């Protein structure tokens, strides 16, 4: 998680799994719900890592609610 003055970024990294799986985990586990009353924008970020070199293969983000 990264918090800035105006935004909270909730980031989930996945090895050998898609960015969609990462975003879904954030939603299912309720990671963003804990910060709803904070007043800042919340951005969910899914990151897919390559299995051999661990490089970033894909990134997807969406605004929470």
């Amino acid at each position: 998680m990264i918090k800035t003055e105006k935004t909270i970024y909730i980031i989930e990294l996945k090895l050998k799994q898609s960015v969609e799986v990462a975003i879904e985990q954030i939603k299912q586990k309720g990671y963003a719900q804990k910060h709803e009353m904070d007043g800042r924008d919340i951005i969910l970020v899914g990151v897919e890592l390559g299995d051999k070199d661990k490089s970033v293969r894909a990134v997807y983000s969406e605004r929470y609610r």
Side-chain angles (χ1 to χ4, degrees):
M1 178 182 319
I2 298 172
K3 293 183 178 183
T4 68
E5 187 176 319
K6 297 181 182 180
T7 308
I8 297 173
Y9 298 92
I10 300 174
I11 304 164
E12 182 66 33
L13 305 173
K14 288 295 183 190
L15 182 63
K16 299 186 200 179
Q17 293 182 326
S18 70
V19 292
E20 292 84 9
V21 171
I23 295 291
E24 190 58 34
Q25 179 177 331
I26 294 170
K27 292 176 180 178
Q28 286 184 355
K29 299 267 183 168
Y31 298 154
Q33 291 174 338
K34 300 171 188 176
H35 304 284
E36 285 179 341
M37 301 305 291
D38 185 276
R40 291 182 257 191
D41 290 333
I42 300 173
I43 305 295
L44 312 180
V45 182
V47 180
E48 177 185 345
L49 302 175
D51 61 339
K52 292 185 181 182
D53 60 1
K54 311 299 186 277
S55 64
V56 174
R57 296 288 172 99
V59 176
Y60 173 78
S61 65
E62 65 180 55
R63 184 175 301 275
Y64 177 72
R65 297 196 185 186

